Amino acid sequence: MDSARLIVKVVPGAHRDEVVGRHGEGVRVRVSAPPEKGRANAAVVALIAAALGVAARDVAVRRGLTGPLKMLEIAGVSRETIEKWLAGGCPTASARAVGSRGKNGVAGDHGKDGLGDG
């Protein structure tokens, strides 16, 4: 199965969840979740999953769990797909369509997978 990595610059505590656009080799996103107890990470995972059309369980934070610069690994997506998405201006799904609710009621928060606070 293909997987690709994506660098993400995160701005937590925003008014809404959105992919802002390119940021160097990756993307810049804003999420409404606060940067506490994994909530912002869960929101980032859900947002990127929805934007790329994969399940939130297929997106994992590999580096940067506690900082604003993260490296995500996305299963089921090739590097070529990521490059096309970046070149196309990083279109995203609306925040309403983002992911399922996890154990804490947070989109994409699935507990002890290293992304939530479980």
Side-chain angles (χ1 to χ4, degrees):
M1 175 184 272
D2 285 339
S3 72
R5 293 189 174 195
L6 177 66
I7 304 234
V8 180
K9 168 72 167 121
V10 180
V11 178
H15 291 289
R16 63 182 175 178
D17 295 356
E18 64 182 336
V19 176
V20 178
R22 296 283 310 239
H23 182 81
E25 300 263 327
V27 295
R28 180 181 174 106
V29 300
R30 293 182 187 131
V31 294
S32 57
E36 55 191 33
K37 298 183 180 179
R39 290 182 182 126
N41 287 338
V44 169
V45 165
L47 180 64
I48 295 298
L52 293 172
V54 299
R57 69 179 172 271
D58 293 331
V59 180
V61 179
R62 294 294 180 216
R63 290 189 191 148
L65 282 171
T66 60
L69 193 59
K70 303 181 182 307
M71 178 182 288
L72 304 182
E73 185 168 2
I74 302 112
V77 174
S78 68
R79 184 68 203 161
E80 181 179 278
T81 300
I82 296 285
E83 291 297 330
K84 286 180 182 177
W85 180 68
L86 291 169
C90 314
T92 185
S94 72
R96 291 186 307 276
V98 173
S100 63
R101 299 289 173 187
K103 72 173 193 117
N104 293 321
V106 176
D109 185 358
H110 298 286
K112 294 187 179 190
D113 60 1
L115 300 175
D117 63 350

